[in-house]
Amino acid sequence: MDGTCCGPGYASPAEAIRAPREKLLYTIAIYTGTGIQKPDYLATVDADPDSPTYSQVIHRLEMPGIGDELHHMGWNACSSCHDDAGMSRKYLLVPGVRSNNIHIVDTATDPRAPRLHKIIDGAEIKSKTDLSGPHTVHCLGSEIIISFLGDAKGEAPGGYLHLNKDFEIVGRWEESMGDIPFGYDFWYQPRHNVMISSEWAAPNTFMPGFDLEEVGHLKYGRRLHVWDFEARKPVETMYLGEDGLIPLEVKFLHDPDSTHGFCGAALSSNVIHFWKSDAGTWEWEKVIDVENEPHPEWPIPVPGVMSAILVSMDDKYLYLNNWLHGDMRQYDISDPHNPKLTGQVYMGGLLGKAPKVNGVEVAGGPQMFQLSLDGKRLYVTTSLFSTWDNQFYPEIREKGGVMVLIDCDVENGGMTINEDFIVDFGQEPNGPSRCHETRYPGGDCTSDIWL
């Protein structure tokens, strides 16, 4: 298979790295939880440094309703169907985690001005599958699966919605949820017939806001789950305990032959490394531990709250955020058992180390981020979830979110904030909005999976 194959995506991670530079970004922007009665929208940001509108929002696709809480999104197709001439990476699936609606957005007809293609009604999803709280979207060859965090009543564990390529509901994807207590993120590695899923909490638990006591009452996750991918069943659990409180984002290495992967545990602010041993058993270890920091206004030291992680396309670097501390970090994971800290920058956060970036006051801290395919540019946004934002960073209501660009040294390691790029969502036409996840038209480091 060569790089000129007929379908979407790339023949290999190496081909993806050589792809053209991203010139547009699609970023979720929300009014849910701000007090502004306007729909959430998909913002198109100009990322071409040669363009007169560089670092500006050039288009806004409003959703039909109010209160969706757009959160995560994903493509209809990725490199898993690279050899399928009938597929193209044309549609972005944008779920509302509160409304349950899944918005199918056409990004191909006019990439600078995406348009709404179809809506899968949240009520229909609830009635046909007993699922609510959509989260992670992954393409599955020509099919699509989406993790849901709850049942129709908002109770855990939820499950997985299966859509066909025409965005019709097939049903539940999984054959069984086994004894899994919570759902959240997932990533699959087909050559090893494995999927790993993680845990947040029931929608009824996390949606009103964060209550630390509920962690002690076991209402938040602390496990990773190993699935038999073909059988669609969980077969093993890795109990992480205090080292893995609220294990959120799961990322395998991009190399489809590898079994190594990582998970960021938000509350314990740890990175968990997992892999399949030579004996065929799944193992895990804590490889990064971010210490809590004292704060004059907090009764306890402030945890980092590592809500996201990302692996570069060449599998050399892992990036993580500490949402409450306000820093982004880069680790060299050439030896996955021994990550080495190679870069760190601050933007916002509670520790007061970078209250302003490029002249803009940052409300919130680094939260979601997306890396360019060549690994050189990291786009970072500041909103986590509306009720949690309001709880920990109440000033974000007036100031809105920001998007920052971090330049990454892929040869020697290192991170610097790009002084020519800042998108201030506090200045949006309808009032301050908050920005969350970002995707690129050509695919990105958190989309593509190779069969």
Side-chain angles (χ1 to χ4, degrees):
M1 189 190 299
D2 62 26
T4 59
C5 189
C6 34
Y10 309 95
S12 66
E15 287 288 332
I17 293 166
R18 291 193 286 270
R21 175 182 172 139
E22 71 289 345
K23 298 208 174 159
L24 295 172
L25 316 175
Y26 301 128
T27 300
I28 280 169
I30 70 164
Y31 281 118
T32 303
T34 67
I36 296 172
Q37 293 300 304
K38 294 285 184 180
D40 299 345
Y41 57 102
L42 187 68
T44 305
V45 174
D46 188 338
D48 181 357
D50 297 326
S51 166
T53 52
Y54 177 59
S55 182
Q56 294 177 30
V57 177
I58 57 172
H59 185 265
R60 299 166 184 86
L61 174 66
E62 288 192 344
M63 299 301 117
I66 290 176
D68 281 301
E69 184 121 2
L70 305 181
H71 193 59
H72 281 229
M73 52 184 167
W75 293 102
N76 69 305
C78 77
S79 294
S80 65
C81 45
H82 179 62
D83 59 353
D84 184 348
M87 293 297 296
S88 63
R89 185 158 19 205
K90 179 177 180 179
Y91 298 104
L92 199 53
L93 285 82
V94 188
V97 72
R98 290 184 186 272
S99 69
N100 244 39
N101 296 329
I102 298 176
H103 309 87
I104 314 297
V105 176
D106 173 1
T107 66
T109 303
D110 183 353
R112 296 174 69 85
R115 60 190 67 175
L116 200 55
H117 170 69
K118 178 180 177 178
I119 296 175
I120 305 172
D121 183 63
E124 183 188 3
I125 294 170
K126 283 184 177 181
S127 66
K128 287 185 175 177
T129 65
D130 190 31
L131 290 173
S132 75
H135 195 269
T136 301
V137 179
H138 272 304
C139 86
L140 192 66
S142 61
E143 312 272 285
I144 298 152
I145 50 174
I146 304 173
S147 63
F148 277 67
L149 307 187
D151 63 17
K153 295 178 181 175
E155 294 299 332
Y160 296 83
L161 176 68
H162 184 188
L163 302 175
N164 65 20
K165 64 181 179 181
D166 297 317
F167 312 115
E168 297 163 334
I169 296 173
V170 178
R172 296 274 283 255
W173 172 81
E174 79 280 2
E175 287 293 325
S176 166
M177 289 294 286
D179 56 1
I180 289 178
F182 306 106
Y184 185 67
D185 197 20
F186 69 101
W187 193 284
Y188 65 94
Q189 218 46 328
R191 292 186 189 180
H192 300 282
N193 186 33
V194 68
M195 181 174 99
I196 303 285
S197 69
S198 62
E199 299 186 341
W200 190 8
N204 290 345
T205 299
F206 70 77
M207 281 191 180
F210 180 66
D211 181 349
L212 186 60
E213 284 190 2
E214 293 188 317
V215 177
H217 295 155
L218 305 182
K219 288 192 172 184
Y220 281 88
R222 50 186 74 190
R223 299 167 184 80
L224 293 176
H225 301 282
V226 182
W227 292 65
D228 180 318
F229 188 57
E230 291 175 5
R232 306 183 183 187
K233 293 179 181 178
V235 291
E236 193 177 332
T237 291
M238 294 184 261
Y239 179 73
L240 310 176
E242 298 297 311
D243 283 332
L245 297 177
I246 315 185
L248 294 184
E249 294 211 338
V250 174
K251 302 285 183 278
F252 271 106
L253 296 186
H254 292 94
D255 174 2
D257 286 329
S258 177
T259 63
H260 290 271
F262 297 89
C263 175
L267 186 60
S268 47
S269 301
N270 296 330
V271 173
I272 304 299
H273 166 227
F274 56 85
W275 72 99
K276 194 174 188 178
S277 72
D278 292 340
T281 57
W282 285 92
E283 310 286 343
W284 70 271
E285 63 187 348
K286 177 177 71 175
V287 288
I288 297 169
D289 191 351
V290 176
E291 294 292 327
N292 296 355
E293 295 276 353
H295 191 284
E297 296 169 21
W298 274 55
I300 58 170
V302 178
V305 180
M306 187 188 299
S307 48
I309 64 167
L310 182 154
V311 176
S312 63
M313 191 59 77
D314 62 1
D315 295 335
K316 183 178 179 182
Y317 293 109
L318 179 141
Y319 292 88
L320 62 84
N321 73 317
N322 289 298
W323 185 58
L324 292 185
H325 289 178
D327 63 316
M328 285 293 307
R329 298 189 184 192
Q330 175 198 59
Y331 286 82
D332 185 326
I333 52 168
S334 302
D335 175 359
H337 298 282
N338 294 288
K340 300 281 192 294
L341 180 64
T342 49
Q344 184 178 27
V345 295
Y346 281 86
M347 48 175 282
L350 294 176
L351 305 183
K353 297 195 176 181
K356 279 191 175 182
V357 175
N358 297 348
V360 175
E361 288 188 22
V362 179
Q367 213 295 116
M368 288 307 294
F369 40 95
Q370 191 58 264
L371 186 67
S372 60
L373 291 170
D374 63 7
K376 295 177 181 177
R377 292 166 302 284
L378 189 69
Y379 299 91
V380 188
T381 55
T382 51
S383 166
L384 191 153
F385 189 72
S386 61
T387 42
W388 295 39
D389 290 348
N390 294 344
Q391 188 175 346
F392 291 100
Y393 292 107
E395 68 279 9
I396 202 169
R397 278 178 176 266
E398 288 72 45
K399 293 180 180 174
V402 300
M403 178 189 281
V404 173
L405 170 56
I406 297 171
D407 292 321
C408 303
D409 184 337
V410 297
E411 300 299 326
N412 310 302
M415 309 168 79
T416 52
I417 290 178
N418 186 303
E419 295 180 357
D420 298 323
F421 185 100
I422 185 96
V423 187
D424 183 358
F425 283 84
Q427 304 299 318
E428 284 292 271
N430 285 326
S433 69
R434 304 173 193 175
C435 40
H436 193 64
E437 197 185 37
T438 299
R439 297 280 182 185
Y440 311 139
D444 44 66
C445 287
T446 57
S447 293
D448 282 288
I449 292 173
W450 280 268
L451 297 182

